[in-house]
Amino acid sequence: EVLYNYNYKYNIIISEEKARESAILISEPWFSQIKSGKKKFEVRGNYGFFSRIKKGSTVKITNKEEIMSCLVTDVSKPFSSVDDLLNEVKWEDIYPDKESKEDVSEQIKKLVKAEDIEKSGLIAIELEHGGKSGGRVRSKSKTKKKTKSRSRSKGKGKGRK
């Protein structure tokens, strides 16, 4: 399957086939929090690729070291402000490592530009680790390499003495 970078600005890689599978870049510690089930929602601007994510889709997330499949269990309505979103979605489910609703608000405002929020709004994407493809986590560093010793077989074989 051919993958291409749909929008380098938002670090999204999607497949050509109907954009059903995607790899969304999520930094640490939030990637690990989704993996452990502590972080339930990913908040993004409601534009481009993110505006087309639907409930029931499988998305792939990555921290550049691992890729993990997640099921989209819900997508909120677009919110016109960070405050509106935080009145509907528990802040602890968005950024469980933050200490207050105000800290979460600041973090969201760092990630999504004010003009983008005004223009398109914000959505909360509810993710469940263990999507349709089994929720496997693949690590790029654990790729098996073929070695000469693996290819040698013991015992009598063709051309052996």
Side-chain angles (χ1 to χ4, degrees):
E1 184 173 85
V2 179
L3 296 178
Y4 66 98
N5 195 338
Y6 177 76
N7 190 327
Y8 67 91
K9 182 178 177 182
Y10 303 109
N11 294 314
I12 306 163
I13 303 169
I14 64 171
S15 67
E16 290 182 333
E17 291 189 7
K18 302 177 186 175
R20 290 191 187 265
E21 291 280 287
S22 62
I24 301 167
L25 180 62
I26 297 180
S27 303
E28 289 295 346
W30 304 302
F31 179 89
S32 293
Q33 290 170 354
I34 292 171
K35 186 176 172 180
S36 70
K38 291 179 185 174
K39 178 175 169 61
K40 294 175 178 33
F41 290 91
E42 179 65 17
V43 173
R44 298 291 177 131
N46 186 36
Y47 47 84
F49 170 76
F50 297 107
S51 67
R52 294 189 300 273
I53 292 178
K54 304 291 180 220
K55 180 179 178 176
S57 300
T58 299
V59 295
K60 290 184 181 180
I61 63 171
T62 184
N63 63 359
K64 292 187 179 178
E65 295 296 319
E66 297 177 86
I67 298 172
M68 178 173 63
S69 294
C70 295
L71 177 65
V72 176
T73 56
D74 202 7
V75 180
S76 73
K77 65 179 183 182
F79 294 98
S80 58
S81 71
V82 175
D83 289 337
D84 288 347
L85 181 137
L86 293 176
N87 287 332
E88 296 285 327
V89 181
K90 286 176 54 176
W91 64 266
E92 298 95 336
D93 290 339
I94 300 171
Y95 289 113
D97 60 325
K98 300 296 180 189
E99 294 185 14
S100 69
K101 188 176 181 177
E102 291 74 27
D103 291 345
V104 171
S105 177
E106 286 179 32
Q107 183 66 41
I108 293 169
K109 289 174 183 175
K110 283 181 191 175
L111 297 174
V112 184
K113 296 178 188 175
E115 58 265 20
D116 290 338
I117 295 171
E118 280 181 35
K119 184 178 176 184
S120 305
L122 290 168
I123 56 170
I125 304 164
E126 188 173 9
L127 298 173
E128 182 180 289
H129 172 51
K132 292 178 183 175
S133 60
R136 282 191 249 155
V137 178
R138 292 182 309 180
S139 175
K140 291 181 182 178
S141 61
K142 293 182 181 179
T143 306
K144 292 182 181 178
K145 293 180 182 178
K146 290 185 178 181
T147 62
K148 289 181 181 179
S149 62
R150 285 179 102 185
S151 62
R152 293 182 186 165
S153 61
K154 293 183 178 181
K156 295 181 183 178
K158 196 172 187 178
R160 298 214 178 231
K161 295 182 181 179

